[in-house]
mmCIF file with all atom_site columns, all heavy atoms in Angstrom:
data_model
loop_
_atom_site.group_PDB
_atom_site.id
_atom_site.type_symbol
_atom_site.label_atom_id
_atom_site.label_alt_id
_atom_site.label_comp_id
_atom_site.label_asym_id
_atom_site.label_entity_id
_atom_site.label_seq_id
_atom_site.pdbx_PDB_ins_code
_atom_site.Cartn_x
_atom_site.Cartn_y
_atom_site.Cartn_z
_atom_site.occupancy
_atom_site.B_iso_or_equiv
_atom_site.pdbx_formal_charge
_atom_site.auth_seq_id
_atom_site.auth_comp_id
_atom_site.auth_asym_id
_atom_site.auth_atom_id
_atom_site.pdbx_PDB_model_num
ATOM 1  N N   . LYS A 1 51 ? -28.528 18.489 -96.336  1.00 95.00 ? 51 LYS A N   1
ATOM 2  C CA  . LYS A 1 51 ? -28.556 19.216 -97.626  1.00 95.00 ? 51 LYS A CA  1
ATOM 3  C C   . LYS A 1 51 ? -28.768 20.727 -97.371  1.00 95.00 ? 51 LYS A C   1
ATOM 4  O O   . LYS A 1 51 ? -29.318 21.121 -96.447  1.00 95.00 ? 51 LYS A O   1
ATOM 5  C CB  . LYS A 1 51 ? -29.696 18.600 -98.447  1.00 95.00 ? 51 LYS A CB  1
ATOM 6  C CG  . LYS A 1 51 ? -29.418 17.109 -98.766  1.00 95.00 ? 51 LYS A CG  1
ATOM 7  C CD  . LYS A 1 51 ? -30.539 16.636 -99.672  1.00 95.00 ? 51 LYS A CD  1
ATOM 8  C CE  . LYS A 1 51 ? -30.411 15.111 -99.939  1.00 95.00 ? 51 LYS A CE  1
ATOM 9  N NZ  . LYS A 1 51 ? -31.498 14.593 -100.900 1.00 95.00 ? 51 LYS A NZ  1
ATOM 10 N N   . PHE A 1 52 ? -28.291 21.512 -98.319  1.00 97.00 ? 52 PHE A N   1
ATOM 11 C CA  . PHE A 1 52 ? -28.593 22.915 -98.333  1.00 97.00 ? 52 PHE A CA  1
ATOM 12 C C   . PHE A 1 52 ? -28.620 23.460 -99.752  1.00 97.00 ? 52 PHE A C   1
ATOM 13 O O   . PHE A 1 52 ? -28.244 22.877 -100.762 1.00 97.00 ? 52 PHE A O   1
ATOM 14 C CB  . PHE A 1 52 ? -27.506 23.611 -97.545  1.00 97.00 ? 52 PHE A CB  1
ATOM 15 C CG  . PHE A 1 52 ? -26.141 23.705 -98.259  1.00 97.00 ? 52 PHE A CG  1
ATOM 16 C CD1 . PHE A 1 52 ? -25.785 24.893 -99.048  1.00 97.00 ? 52 PHE A CD1 1
ATOM 17 C CD2 . PHE A 1 52 ? -25.265 22.656 -98.171  1.00 97.00 ? 52 PHE A CD2 1
ATOM 18 C CE1 . PHE A 1 52 ? -24.599 24.929 -99.645  1.00 97.00 ? 52 PHE A CE1 1
ATOM 19 C CE2 . PHE A 1 52 ? -23.948 22.756 -98.832  1.00 97.00 ? 52 PHE A CE2 1
ATOM 20 C CZ  . PHE A 1 52 ? -23.638 23.826 -99.618  1.00 97.00 ? 52 PHE A CZ  1
ATOM 21 N N   . THR A 1 53 ? -29.310 24.680 -99.885  1.00 98.00 ? 53 THR A N   1
ATOM 22 C CA  . THR A 1 53 ? -29.458 25.283 -101.172 1.00 98.00 ? 53 THR A CA  1
ATOM 23 C C   . THR A 1 53 ? -28.836 26.649 -101.123 1.00 98.00 ? 53 THR A C   1
ATOM 24 O O   . THR A 1 53 ? -28.693 27.251 -100.054 1.00 98.00 ? 53 THR A O   1
ATOM 25 C CB  . THR A 1 53 ? -30.871 25.348 -101.522 1.00 98.00 ? 53 THR A CB  1
ATOM 26 O OG1 . THR A 1 53 ? -31.640 26.175 -100.663 1.00 98.00 ? 53 THR A OG1 1
ATOM 27 C CG2 . THR A 1 53 ? -31.558 24.035 -101.683 1.00 98.00 ? 53 THR A CG2 1
ATOM 28 N N   . VAL A 1 54 ? -28.416 27.120 -102.186 1.00 98.00 ? 54 VAL A N   1
ATOM 29 C CA  . VAL A 1 54 ? -28.037 28.549 -102.372 1.00 98.00 ? 54 VAL A CA  1
ATOM 30 C C   . VAL A 1 54 ? -29.070 29.143 -103.262 1.00 98.00 ? 54 VAL A C   1
ATOM 31 O O   . VAL A 1 54 ? -29.212 28.863 -104.504 1.00 98.00 ? 54 VAL A O   1
ATOM 32 C CB  . VAL A 1 54 ? -26.686 28.689 -102.967 1.00 98.00 ? 54 VAL A CB  1
ATOM 33 C CG1 . VAL A 1 54 ? -26.364 30.182 -103.309 1.00 98.00 ? 54 VAL A CG1 1
ATOM 34 C CG2 . VAL A 1 54 ? -25.649 28.116 -102.173 1.00 98.00 ? 54 VAL A CG2 1
ATOM 35 N N   . ASP A 1 55 ? -29.977 30.040 -102.720 1.00 98.00 ? 55 ASP A N   1
ATOM 36 C CA  . ASP A 1 55 ? -31.162 30.542 -103.421 1.00 98.00 ? 55 ASP A CA  1
ATOM 37 C C   . ASP A 1 55 ? -30.970 31.957 -103.966 1.00 98.00 ? 55 ASP A C   1
ATOM 38 O O   . ASP A 1 55 ? -31.707 32.398 -104.817 1.00 98.00 ? 55 ASP A O   1
ATOM 39 C CB  . ASP A 1 55 ? -32.339 30.467 -102.449 1.00 98.00 ? 55 ASP A CB  1
ATOM 40 C CG  . ASP A 1 55 ? -32.654 29.070 -102.053 1.00 98.00 ? 55 ASP A CG  1
ATOM 41 O OD1 . ASP A 1 55 ? -32.491 28.099 -102.849 1.00 98.00 ? 55 ASP A OD1 1
ATOM 42 O OD2 . ASP A 1 55 ? -33.097 28.891 -100.943 1.00 98.00 ? 55 ASP A OD2 1
ATOM 43 N N   . GLU A 1 56 ? -30.017 32.693 -103.312 1.00 97.00 ? 56 GLU A N   1
ATOM 44 C CA  . GLU A 1 56 ? -29.897 34.076 -103.736 1.00 97.00 ? 56 GLU A CA  1
ATOM 45 C C   . GLU A 1 56 ? -28.403 34.589 -103.442 1.00 97.00 ? 56 GLU A C   1
ATOM 46 O O   . GLU A 1 56 ? -27.952 34.257 -102.426 1.00 97.00 ? 56 GLU A O   1
ATOM 47 C CB  . GLU A 1 56 ? -30.871 35.006 -102.976 1.00 97.00 ? 56 GLU A CB  1
ATOM 48 C CG  . GLU A 1 56 ? -30.739 36.445 -103.260 1.00 97.00 ? 56 GLU A CG  1
ATOM 49 C CD  . GLU A 1 56 ? -31.717 37.269 -102.454 1.00 97.00 ? 56 GLU A CD  1
ATOM 50 O OE1 . GLU A 1 56 ? -32.667 36.726 -101.891 1.00 97.00 ? 56 GLU A OE1 1
ATOM 51 O OE2 . GLU A 1 56 ? -31.474 38.535 -102.327 1.00 97.00 ? 56 GLU A OE2 1
ATOM 52 N N   . ILE A 1 57 ? -27.847 35.255 -104.454 1.00 98.00 ? 57 ILE A N   1
ATOM 53 C CA  . ILE A 1 57 ? -26.562 35.837 -104.358 1.00 98.00 ? 57 ILE A CA  1
ATOM 54 C C   . ILE A 1 57 ? -26.695 37.310 -104.728 1.00 98.00 ? 57 ILE A C   1
ATOM 55 O O   . ILE A 1 57 ? -27.123 37.612 -105.702 1.00 98.00 ? 57 ILE A O   1
ATOM 56 C CB  . ILE A 1 57 ? -25.551 35.221 -105.306 1.00 98.00 ? 57 ILE A CB  1
ATOM 57 C CG1 . ILE A 1 57 ? -25.395 33.770 -104.877 1.00 98.00 ? 57 ILE A CG1 1
ATOM 58 C CG2 . ILE A 1 57 ? -24.148 35.856 -105.171 1.00 98.00 ? 57 ILE A CG2 1
ATOM 59 C CD1 . ILE A 1 57 ? -24.441 32.927 -105.796 1.00 98.00 ? 57 ILE A CD1 1
ATOM 60 N N   . ASN A 1 58 ? -26.238 38.137 -103.692 1.00 97.00 ? 58 ASN A N   1
ATOM 61 C CA  . ASN A 1 58 ? -26.435 39.642 -103.874 1.00 97.00 ? 58 ASN A CA  1
ATOM 62 C C   . ASN A 1 58 ? -25.226 40.338 -103.292 1.00 97.00 ? 58 ASN A C   1
ATOM 63 O O   . ASN A 1 58 ? -24.341 39.721 -102.687 1.00 97.00 ? 58 ASN A O   1
ATOM 64 C CB  . ASN A 1 58 ? -27.717 40.058 -103.217 1.00 97.00 ? 58 ASN A CB  1
ATOM 65 C CG  . ASN A 1 58 ? -28.374 41.250 -103.823 1.00 97.00 ? 58 ASN A CG  1
ATOM 66 O OD1 . ASN A 1 58 ? -27.607 42.070 -104.553 1.00 97.00 ? 58 ASN A OD1 1
ATOM 67 N ND2 . ASN A 1 58 ? -29.618 41.478 -103.640 1.00 97.00 ? 58 ASN A ND2 1
ATOM 68 N N   . HIS A 1 59 ? -25.216 41.657 -103.434 1.00 96.00 ? 59 HIS A N   1
ATOM 69 C CA  . HIS A 1 59 ? -24.199 42.459 -102.840 1.00 96.00 ? 59 HIS A CA  1
ATOM 70 C C   . HIS A 1 59 ? -24.811 43.775 -102.514 1.00 96.00 ? 59 HIS A C   1
ATOM 71 O O   . HIS A 1 59 ? -25.769 44.292 -103.008 1.00 96.00 ? 59 HIS A O   1
ATOM 72 C CB  . HIS A 1 59 ? -22.981 42.551 -103.745 1.00 96.00 ? 59 HIS A CB  1
ATOM 73 C CG  . HIS A 1 59 ? -23.164 43.642 -104.742 1.00 96.00 ? 59 HIS A CG  1
ATOM 74 N ND1 . HIS A 1 59 ? -23.986 43.647 -105.805 1.00 96.00 ? 59 HIS A ND1 1
ATOM 75 C CD2 . HIS A 1 59 ? -22.512 44.921 -104.795 1.00 96.00 ? 59 HIS A CD2 1
ATOM 76 C CE1 . HIS A 1 59 ? -23.895 44.773 -106.608 1.00 96.00 ? 59 HIS A CE1 1
ATOM 77 N NE2 . HIS A 1 59 ? -23.015 45.588 -105.883 1.00 96.00 ? 59 HIS A NE2 1
#
Side-chain angles (χ1 to χ4, degrees):
K51 299 179 181 179
F52 72 95
T53 61
V54 173
D55 301 326
E56 180 182 340
I57 297 177
N58 207 340
H59 85 287

